[in-house]
């Protein structure tokens, strides 16, 4: 049982945040209820959301001692490019709800930390604007829309902006049933009266976000008439325009028109991973969309070994969903991933303290990963494998 009186830090001093859970508490203090729910919620009964975390608890380490490990090397190579850390910031949308210019703050922190930033199609910034962030390794995430002309235009813009990779999300052709999120709105994007009143108890958020006006989704504006470019209208339009008949032929088409790295996100089986390779993908993301789409889907950790056994070396394998600790990162890498992606961890930092909060989140994950590898007796990311793990029954 937890010791009486224990609680995570939730003040405003970022230097006192020693875990991602501390940043989560700080974020919750800053955000009104309906924004917290958007950040935290999952689909339906949230079984998959819980399973993503439980999966890590069901895996034990098998440490080696007296290995003379010293300071472990966290560097790796991703798509032939040296990386300081085996970490990618995952694509997340509506980030301006958490902090004014949230996407830019995430990108700037990523560039300074030397990690990849993946920008969502439904970012509140245009691809071209974030491409100008100095030293940024910039990937683009794509939702496939009904209009192929519009989709092709988005891809061409990202190509011209210098995005190195195109990450196609495949598990959101039907929008997930996020029931608790939906309860916060009377209709469309209009919060309930209770949630509007709750904003009064979060004046810092209101002055940062609401007072300046939540920007619309910059990458979609060119396709909408001027009188329909509000945040709420664009959000509704984007959901309506997602291609419901998404198929492998769409991946093949994107492979023909996209000249950079192509990554398929939303893979949860080895057969689909093989299909991605056959369609010309350079990499995949083993992902259940953070538990926000199909409730009852498996954790990536449950399917990652099979995928790695069949595809390791043919594709770069990334994995996300539920990663909040350095121990989670090490377990995911040892299970066969080449690198991990995290969304909520850096969003907690963003909501807690802007760019400095994102930097703190990345520093915590790096520190925890390095310590875990040292205690495991492992010198480098390349040395991690399943011999370092043991799966236990829940």
């Amino acid at each position: 049982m937890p010791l009486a009186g224990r609680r995570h830090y939730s003040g405003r001093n970022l230097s006192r945040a020693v875990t991602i859970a501390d940043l989560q508490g700080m974020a919750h203090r800053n955000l009104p209820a309906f924004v917290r729910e958007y950040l935290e919620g999952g689909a339906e009964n949230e079984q998959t959301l819980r399973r993503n975390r439980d999966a890590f608890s069901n895996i034990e380490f098998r440490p080696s001692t007296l290995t003379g490990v010293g300071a472990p090397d966290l560097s790796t190579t991703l798509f032939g490019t040296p990386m300081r850390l085996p970490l990618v910031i995952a694509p997340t949308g509506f980030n301006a709800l958490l902090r004014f210019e949230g996407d830019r703050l995430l990108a700037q922190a990523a560039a300074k930390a030397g990690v990849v930033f993946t920008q969502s199609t439904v970012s509140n910034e245009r691809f071209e604007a974030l491409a100008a962030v100095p030293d940024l390794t910039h990937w683009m995430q794509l939702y496939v829309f009904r209009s192929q002309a519009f989709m092709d235009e988005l891809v061409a813009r990202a190509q011209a902006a210098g995005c190195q990779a195109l990450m196609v999300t495949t598990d959101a052709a039907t929008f997930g049933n996020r029931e608790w999120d939906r309860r916060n709105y009377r209709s469309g994007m209009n919060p309930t009266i209770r949630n509007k009143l709750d904003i009064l108890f979060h004046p810092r958020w209101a002055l940062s976000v609401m007072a300046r006006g939540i920007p619309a989704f910059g990458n979609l504006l060119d396709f909408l008439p001027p009188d329909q470019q509000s945040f709420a209208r664009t959000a509704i339009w984007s959901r309506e325009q997602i291609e419901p008949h998404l198929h492998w032929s769409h991946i093949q088409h994107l492979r023909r028109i996209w000249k950079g790295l192509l990554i398929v996100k939303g893979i949860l089986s080895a057969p689909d991973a093989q299909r991605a390779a056959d369609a010309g993908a350079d990499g995949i993301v083993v992902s259940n969309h953070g538990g926000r789409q199909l409730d009852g889907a498996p954790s990536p950790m449950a399917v990652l070994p099979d995928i790695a056994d069949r595809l390791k070396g043919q594709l770069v394998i990334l994995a996300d969903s539920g990663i909040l600790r350095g121990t989670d990162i090490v377990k995911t890498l040892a299970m066969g991933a080449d690198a991990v992606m995290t969304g909520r961890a850096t969003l907690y930092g963003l909501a807690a303290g802007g760019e400095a909060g994102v930097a703190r989140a990345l520093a915590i994950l790096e520190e925890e990963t390095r310590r875990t590898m040292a205690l495991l007796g492992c010198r480098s990311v390349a040395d991690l494998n399943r011999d370092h793990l043991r799966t236990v029954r829940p």
Side-chain angles (χ1 to χ4, degrees), residues 73 76 100 121 169 195 262 265 272 394:
D73 180 10
T76 189
F100 181 68
T121 297
T169 295
N195 279 301
L262 181 65
K265 181 175 183 288
D272 274 352

Side-chain angles (χ1 to χ4, degrees), residues 10 68 84 91 125 136 155 178 194 205 232 312 387:
S10 61
R84 196 177 70 82
E125 296 271 2
L136 180 65
V155 171
R178 302 166 197 172
R194 180 177 180 179
W205 180 87
K312 191 79 168 181
D387 290 340

Side-chain angles (χ1 to χ4, degrees), residues 209-287:
V209 177
M210 293 298 290
R212 306 187 198 191
I214 301 172
F217 305 109
N219 295 306
L220 307 182
L221 294 183
D222 292 347
F223 203 69
L224 290 169
D227 61 345
Q228 297 187 43
Q229 293 186 356
S230 67
F231 174 83
R233 182 66 195 104
T234 311
I236 294 169
W237 178 88
S238 66
R239 293 184 186 182
E240 294 172 345
Q241 293 303 313
I242 295 293
E243 173 57 74
H245 303 292
L246 190 58
H247 187 265
W248 288 106
S249 60
H250 290 93
I251 304 300
Q252 294 164 351
H253 171 73
L254 290 167
R255 178 70 286 175
R256 287 192 294 270
I257 67 172
W258 175 256
K259 307 306 179 186
L261 299 167
L262 181 65
I263 304 169
V264 178
K265 181 175 183 288
I267 298 294
L268 286 172
S269 72
D272 274 352
Q274 184 62 63
R275 291 184 187 101
D278 294 342
D282 300 290
I284 57 172
V285 185
V286 183
S287 171

Side-chain angles (χ1 to χ4, degrees), residues 80-380:
T81 301
M83 298 286 179
R84 196 177 70 82
L85 298 172
L87 180 66
V88 173
I89 294 182
T92 51
F94 303 8
N95 292 331
L97 274 178
L98 307 179
R99 197 83 170 194
F100 181 68
E101 293 190 329
D103 296 291
R104 179 176 295 279
L105 300 179
L106 283 163
Q108 289 172 174
K112 291 173 184 176
V115 302
V116 177
F117 171 70
T118 315
Q119 185 177 359
S120 171
T121 297
V122 289
S123 161
N124 297 111
E125 296 271 2
R126 292 173 65 90
F127 299 126
E128 295 85 351
L130 294 192
V133 172
D135 303 318
L136 180 65
T137 303
H138 189 197
W139 293 359
M140 170 201 172
Q141 175 270 339
L142 178 71
Y143 288 114
V144 177
F145 288 87
R146 295 173 187 264
S147 169
Q148 183 170 307
F150 176 57
M151 184 179 70
D152 290 357
E153 180 184 332
L154 280 179
V155 171
R157 280 180 48 208
Q159 191 96 58
C163 294
Q164 294 97 322
L166 179 68
M167 181 179 293
V168 188
T169 295
T170 64
D171 58 2
T174 297
F175 197 71
N177 184 21
R178 302 166 197 172
E179 296 166 352
W180 288 104
D181 194 17
R182 289 166 55 195
R183 290 185 174 99
N184 285 307
Y185 300 90
R186 298 176 64 184
S187 62
M189 300 292 291
N190 182 28
T192 63
I193 293 175
R194 180 177 180 179
N195 279 301
K196 289 179 179 178
L197 291 174
D198 186 53
I199 293 173
L200 299 176
F201 293 94
H202 298 84
R204 289 174 181 263
W205 180 87
L207 289 173
S208 169
V209 177
M210 293 298 290
R212 306 187 198 191
I214 301 172
F217 305 109
N219 295 306
L220 307 182
L221 294 183
D222 292 347
F223 203 69
L224 290 169
D227 61 345
Q228 297 187 43
Q229 293 186 356
S230 67
F231 174 83
R233 182 66 195 104
T234 311
I236 294 169
W237 178 88
S238 66
R239 293 184 186 182
E240 294 172 345
Q241 293 303 313
I242 295 293
E243 173 57 74
H245 303 292
L246 190 58
H247 187 265
W248 288 106
S249 60
H250 290 93
I251 304 300
Q252 294 164 351
H253 171 73
L254 290 167
R255 178 70 286 175
R256 287 192 294 270
I257 67 172
W258 175 256
K259 307 306 179 186
L261 299 167
L262 181 65
I263 304 169
V264 178
K265 181 175 183 288
I267 298 294
L268 286 172
S269 72
D272 274 352
Q274 184 62 63
R275 291 184 187 101
D278 294 342
D282 300 290
I284 57 172
V285 185
V286 183
S287 171
N288 59 32
H289 214 106
R292 293 163 71 82
Q293 284 298 101
L294 175 63
D295 200 26
S299 159
M301 296 299 285
V303 298
L304 183 55
D306 188 32
I307 291 172
D309 286 345
R310 295 207 17 204
L311 276 300
K312 191 79 168 181
Q314 294 186 52
L315 290 168
V316 168
I317 301 173
L318 308 172
D320 71 5
S321 301
I323 293 171
L324 297 174
R325 281 277 192 183
T327 49
D328 304 335
I329 292 173
V330 173
K331 288 174 182 179
T332 306
L333 296 172
M335 277 290 195
D338 295 297
V340 305
M341 299 181 68
T342 184
R344 285 187 176 96
T346 46
L347 292 182
Y348 294 147
L350 175 67
E355 181 181 338
V358 179
R360 184 63 188 142
L362 293 172
I364 288 170
L365 292 174
E366 178 178 359
E367 178 185 331
E368 289 183 347
T369 302
R370 196 179 305 279
R371 182 188 302 114
T372 300
M373 288 180 58
L375 292 171
L376 193 57
C378 194
R379 289 185 175 87
S380 71

